[in-house]
Amino acid sequence: MSKIKITALLLLAATINIPLTVQSQEHPNLIMTKPGVEKVRKNLGQVPLFDASVESVKKQVDAEISLGIDTPIPKDFSGGYTHQRHKQNFIIAQKSGALYQILEDEKYAKYIKDMLFQYEGMYKDLPAHPQKRSYARGKLFWQCLNDSNWLVYMSQAYDAIYETLSEQERDKLENNLFRPFADYISIENPQFYNRVHNHSTWGNAAVGMIALVMDDKELLDRALYGIEDDGLEIGGLDNDGGFIKVEGQKAGFLANLEDPFSPDGYYTEGPYYQRYAMYPFLIFGLAMKNVKPEMKVFEHKDNVLLKGVNALLNLSDADGEFFPLNDGQKGMSYYTASLVTAVDIAYQYGNKNPQLLSIAEKQNQVLLNEAGLAVAMGVRDGKAQAFAKKSINLSDGPDGKQGGVAVLRHGNEDLTLVFKYAAQGLSHGHYDKLSFSLYEKGDEVLQDYGLARFVNIGQKGGGNYLEENKTWAKTTIAHNTLSQNESMHFAGKYAIGSQHHSDLYVYDHSNKDVQVVSATESNAYPGTKMHRTMAVIKNKSFDKPFLLDIMKINAEQKNQYDMPFYYLGQVLSKNFSYDSPNVLKPLGQNNGYQHLYLEGIGKPSTSSTQFAWLGNGKYYTLTSATEGSDELLLTRMGANDPEFNIRREAALMIRRKDSDNTVFASVIEPHGSYSPVSELSVNSNSNIAELKVVHDDVKYTAVTIKDVKGQTSLFLLSNLDASPSTQHKLEVVGKKYSWTGAFHYIE
């Protein structure tokens, strides 16, 4: 920060009586504070969840101490020994610091001190990491991102033992290890540090954390505001094809706090990377609150960090697993350590929401600081309330005007729709406008593939992103959305996709039995407008809620459209015949099609095509309004994949050729169950006899659903006017209907 800015802030602080630069030299002062530690010590033995957490951490750290300290010369990717060893070192060092403060056992301080001096002795001679894959190579790790992880954690360890070290020892560590380390990940790697991305968030937090411990104002300014003159050219790309620098780009921690988050707390890269980034956001935010409270980091952008925790928890299924939007690994959940941190800090420094305590109970562990103690005491005192995950619409973009993600839930997560109409999502985004996934309880019904990576599994590309992430997982055809002419949205070009977002048409969950979200996309395929409307409906004639899906397409020319449905389970039945090839061949040559085997091809036998499967002991039927010329393709992933990097999962794909303006209408219907224990099959057949698009023009679309008993329900949609107050009239099959608002459902 310039001297002029600092002077101005000092004058402002004096005017409103804020001690801007008061810095206590007491340690610890980052995540733990002396008053906080005293409170923790006084309550030891009285708070079961906290005591159990201390004992669990103590057992883990004691086991590591008994093995001795190993700081090997770096050589491996994320799946290899040197990577894992250095990672384990910083995790254990941070935990050891907490134990030292709480238990006052010198062995924990000595362990950290010995480890830090081993690193001090080796760091000055370390070259860049020998693995050259990353756009920003670290020293201890193959990328600066992991080096930043190390410094975020080691700053906490250093803070915990700061007062046990002599001034000479501190000077040696700071001048030979910490400052050179901070300079390397920032000044020497601005392409990593000076951008808006989860990578830079870690880098900014790392430099900021060590700056606070060392009371280094220059480093702290660099953390908060970035590098003023970074020398980077506009348009450089990272390993994932994302821009490193764009015109007018801000940098530093505050810029990363501002741009990727929407006002609702949604993080544009998606929940998997929001989970990853929340740790440095919240840990550095807490450190700033403790050391420089006048900066009000937690209050920034109307408490967006604390809102982010709520948004993230709502982006999980009934089992707590995050929806794998964009690059997301399936199975990542709120049981991960970063979410323990998030829940505890959000509880302590938010409004002490008792619903967070029920998440903490499930996590069964807390932070070893004052926030963790507060959560554990709340649990002990019976304050926990169930976390109520309801339908929610989360906007995307720094101003909340770049699309979003809608989650429609019926009942106790009996059926959950995840509908993505968001921005590109930076370099971790996928080309999947208006895509969706569907869950029953915690089970996937129709899946989002997620990422193509086996994190930290060395046999699979060193545990890093695989080529198939670009050639398959990111492609349009890998998702439950429309592909045109076997091409990708925005031609698969990040430079184009990052300039556009889908637009919300309507979102309404006011009626729990008819919840609707609708959005439009006009840029993915120039000259083609997609308008997708999805409704979670509970009809009295059906034993479970179902999903109605209407994709309306208006195009300036005739195209081929592919609409896949990626189901999970065993095929049971279908009402169409198909031919299976003797030799499996890829469906296409590129854009993801090269990774799909064509297992069968058929034609609709009626105007209502049905396809049923059994998954996780539950029955599902897809009913689609099809045309006689449609092709029904049975596809399976895995073509052109000799290393078996792609899961061998299947889809039913509806292909419509030589078409411009058209509608794809489908119902995904959960019904019945099967128990392998009792061998009892209940309600295995669909309740739908016919699905029909009975009206479609520029202004209106109408779809009927006829059940097996002859009862017909009708869904009416206004295609141009989404106002909730507009009155509409439409004649459908000789009968006149009138309603108010964008849609109307008649049971």
Side-chain angles (χ1 to χ4, degrees):
M1 183 186 293
S2 69
K3 290 183 179 179
I4 294 175
K5 288 182 179 178
I6 292 174
T7 302
L9 285 173
L10 285 170
L11 290 172
L12 175 62
T15 302
I16 57 177
N17 298 316
I18 295 178
L20 182 66
T21 58
V22 170
Q23 163 87 34
S24 172
Q25 294 305 308
E26 277 193 341
H27 293 269
N29 64 4
L30 293 184
I31 309 310
M32 308 179 85
T33 62
K34 281 192 177 294
V37 169
E38 287 300 319
K39 186 173 182 180
V40 166
R41 290 173 184 167
K42 288 179 181 179
N43 283 278
L44 286 177
Q46 303 175 50
V47 189
L49 180 54
F50 192 88
D51 293 336
S53 297
V54 171
E55 187 57 35
S56 175
V57 170
K58 184 177 184 300
K59 183 178 180 180
Q60 181 188 16
V61 173
D62 287 348
E64 285 289 331
I65 291 176
S66 69
L67 295 175
I69 299 169
D70 184 19
T71 56
I73 298 299
K75 69 180 183 68
D76 297 324
F77 277 129
S78 54
Y81 172 75
T82 65
H83 182 102
Q84 293 300 324
R85 183 64 264 167
H86 289 299
K87 179 179 179 180
Q88 188 74 346
N89 284 349
F90 70 66
I91 291 172
I92 297 300
Q94 185 271 336
K95 292 181 176 181
S96 188
L99 290 177
Y100 168 67
Q101 286 294 326
I102 294 170
L103 303 178
E104 301 178 273
D105 188 332
E106 294 291 337
K107 75 175 183 181
Y108 299 114
K110 183 179 184 303
Y111 177 72
I112 297 170
K113 176 181 175 180
D114 291 346
M115 182 185 292
L116 288 178
F117 275 102
Q118 277 192 216
Y119 278 113
E120 181 271 336
M122 70 185 291
Y123 190 78
K124 61 181 179 294
D125 296 322
L126 276 182
H129 197 280
Q131 299 289 353
K132 299 180 180 181
R133 178 171 177 172
S134 176
Y135 76 104
R137 291 153 66 195
K139 286 193 173 184
L140 292 177
F141 301 91
W142 71 279
Q143 55 178 347
C144 281
L145 173 61
N146 302 102
D147 280 41
S148 299
N149 297 164
W150 185 95
L151 189 53
V152 167
Y153 281 79
M154 282 300 191
S155 297
Q156 298 172 62
Y158 181 46
D159 181 48
I161 68 163
Y162 188 92
E163 293 185 350
T164 71
L165 301 171
S166 68
E167 184 176 351
Q168 183 179 10
E169 288 171 328
R170 293 197 294 266
D171 286 345
K172 191 174 183 181
L173 287 174
E174 292 178 8
N175 293 327
N176 296 344
L177 177 61
F178 291 129
R179 282 194 178 88
F181 203 110
D183 286 343
Y184 181 79
I185 62 175
S186 57
I187 298 296
E188 296 184 46
N189 282 279
Q191 76 279 17
F192 159 78
Y193 187 81
N194 232 38
R195 58 188 301 211
V196 173
H197 196 277
N198 78 80
H199 287 193
S200 297
T201 298
W202 275 98
N204 303 152
V207 172
M209 294 283 281
I210 199 62
L212 291 176
V213 183
M214 301 188 303
D215 192 16
D216 188 317
K217 294 180 176 59
E218 180 185 349
L219 284 183
L220 185 57
D221 282 346
R222 191 188 304 169
L224 293 173
Y225 308 109
I227 303 166
E228 187 172 350
D229 184 10
D230 56 24
L232 297 173
E233 295 182 359
I234 301 295
L237 302 177
D238 63 16
N239 295 111
D240 299 309
F243 289 128
I244 290 172
K245 187 173 184 176
V246 297
E247 195 71 44
Q249 176 174 297
K250 296 179 181 179
F253 183 80
L254 295 179
N256 274 283
L257 188 57
E258 186 71 30
D259 287 357
F261 283 101
S262 78
D264 295 327
Y266 176 74
Y267 188 72
T268 193
E269 295 186 49
Y272 182 75
Y273 278 96
Q274 181 165 356
R275 167 272 328 173
Y276 183 59
M278 287 306 284
Y279 184 83
F281 273 126
L282 289 167
I283 284 293
F284 184 45
L286 178 54
M288 288 292 290
K289 182 176 181 63
N290 287 333
V291 181
K292 297 186 73 64
E294 70 274 13
M295 291 295 295
K296 297 185 177 181
V297 171
F298 282 155
E299 291 85 356
H300 189 81
K301 198 174 179 178
D302 192 23
N303 304 295
V304 74
L305 277 182
L306 302 179
K307 287 181 178 178
V309 177
N310 181 69
L312 193 49
L313 293 173
N314 272 289
L315 289 169
S316 66
D317 66 18
D319 296 328
E321 296 183 2
F322 298 122
F323 303 130
L325 303 174
N326 294 328
D327 285 343
Q329 175 163 256
K330 292 188 178 184
M332 177 55 71
S333 73
Y334 58 52
Y335 293 98
T336 189
S338 61
L339 264 292
V340 174
T341 299
V343 167
D344 291 2
I345 290 177
Y347 178 80
Q348 173 73 346
Y349 300 100
N351 57 2
K352 289 189 167 54
N353 179 2
Q355 293 188 15
L356 292 174
L357 298 178
S358 65
I359 303 293
E361 284 183 310
K362 293 179 180 180
Q363 293 170 332
N364 200 32
Q365 56 180 315
V366 293
L367 292 176
L368 300 189
N369 68 354
E370 192 172 357
L373 179 66
V375 167
M377 292 175 75
V379 170
R380 178 199 63 187
D381 297 340
K383 295 180 179 179
Q385 297 178 10
F387 190 89
K389 284 191 287 185
K390 300 178 181 179
S391 296
I392 189 170
N393 186 41
L394 297 169
S395 63
D396 194 4
D399 56 0
K401 297 179 180 179
Q402 296 181 16
V405 172
V407 182
L408 297 182
R409 294 180 168 98
H410 189 276
N412 186 23
E413 299 187 80
D414 298 327
L415 191 66
T416 299
L417 165 71
V418 183
F419 181 57
K420 182 186 175 198
Y421 64 99
Q424 182 63 29
L426 301 180
S427 59
H428 285 296
H430 289 192
Y431 299 94
D432 63 335
K433 297 302 179 187
L434 308 187
S435 67
F436 81 100
S437 53
L438 190 66
Y439 295 75
E440 184 176 8
K441 296 295 187 181
D443 296 326
E444 291 177 291
V445 180
L446 294 172
Q447 68 159 326
D448 187 319
Y449 187 86
L451 52 70
R453 179 185 182 186
F454 296 81
V455 182
N456 291 334
I457 299 177
Q459 297 94 324
K460 287 292 191 180
N464 304 319
Y465 277 100
L466 300 165
E467 181 64 21
E468 289 79 9
N469 200 60
K470 296 178 181 178
T471 63
W472 168 249
K474 283 177 176 277
T475 66
T476 304
I477 197 59
H479 299 82
N480 299 309
T481 191
L482 187 81
S483 287
Q484 178 176 294
N485 300 328
E486 297 189 23
S487 63
M488 291 169 61
H489 293 173
F490 309 110
K493 295 180 179 179
Y494 176 79
I496 302 174
S498 61
Q499 300 301 311
H500 301 288
H501 58 83
S502 303
D503 293 304
L504 181 67
Y505 182 70
V506 68
Y507 173 85
D508 189 340
H509 69 259
S510 58
N511 179 354
K512 66 180 178 61
D513 290 333
V514 185
Q515 302 181 56
V516 176
V517 62
S518 181
T520 61
E521 172 57 52
S522 301
N523 298 294
Y525 295 118
T528 297
K529 178 182 178 180
M530 298 182 285
H531 184 174
R532 193 168 207 173
T533 301
M534 311 200 85
V536 173
I537 298 171
K538 178 61 179 77
N539 185 301
K540 295 175 183 177
S541 299
F542 291 71
D543 68 334
K544 294 182 178 182
F546 59 81
L547 174 68
L548 172 62
D549 172 24
I550 303 171
M551 174 71 91
K552 181 177 174 62
I553 304 158
N554 291 102
E556 296 175 358
Q557 63 183 33
K558 293 185 181 298
N559 301 289
Q560 173 183 289
Y561 302 121
D562 290 332
M563 180 68 79
F565 295 89
Y566 286 96
Y567 63 91
L568 290 172
Q570 179 64 45
V571 176
L572 294 180
S573 63
K574 65 272 180 255
N575 68 351
F576 58 91
S577 59
Y578 64 93
D579 296 322
S580 293
N582 294 323
V583 178
L584 295 180
K585 294 181 179 180
L587 184 59
Q589 301 299 315
N590 48 37
N591 296 322
Y593 283 81
Q594 74 275 22
H595 291 305
L596 286 173
Y597 282 122
L598 180 61
E599 293 189 328
I601 183 169
K603 288 280 188 180
S605 59
T606 73
S607 60
S608 296
T609 293
Q610 291 195 307
F611 181 83
W613 68 96
L614 173 67
N616 294 300
K618 287 166 275 193
Y619 296 109
Y620 304 99
T621 298
L622 169 68
T623 304
S624 295
T626 48
E627 300 176 358
S629 59
D630 288 349
E631 292 179 350
L632 305 174
L633 310 180
L634 300 172
T635 68
R636 188 171 301 275
M637 309 168 198
N640 291 301
D641 181 29
E643 299 299 322
F644 294 89
N645 289 332
I646 300 173
R647 301 189 302 269
R648 269 45 180 172
E649 293 162 347
L652 173 68
M653 186 183 301
I654 302 172
R655 171 168 285 181
R656 190 165 296 168
K657 297 180 177 179
D658 197 30
S659 184
D660 45 18
N661 302 332
T662 191
V663 173
F664 286 87
S666 299
V667 167
I668 298 91
E669 173 197 7
H671 52 92
S673 63
Y674 178 79
S675 169
V677 177
S678 65
E679 297 184 328
L680 182 64
S681 177
V682 178
N683 196 19
S684 63
N685 294 314
S686 170
N687 192 40
I688 296 177
E690 182 186 54
L691 176 69
K692 191 173 183 179
V693 179
V694 291
H695 182 93
D696 183 59
D697 60 23
V698 173
K699 290 186 176 181
Y700 300 104
T701 300
V703 176
T704 56
I705 305 169
K706 184 177 181 180
D707 67 26
V708 294
K709 294 182 179 179
Q711 299 293 318
T712 299
S713 58
L714 172 67
F715 188 88
L716 299 161
L717 177 67
S718 165
N719 295 321
L720 300 179
D721 189 345
S723 170
S725 60
T726 300
Q727 294 184 340
H728 301 275
K729 294 181 179 180
L730 181 67
E731 183 174 327
V732 178
V733 194
K735 188 173 182 180
K736 295 180 179 180
Y737 297 91
S738 61
W739 74 95
T740 302
F743 65 90
H744 186 50
Y745 178 68
I746 302 170
E747 198 170 310

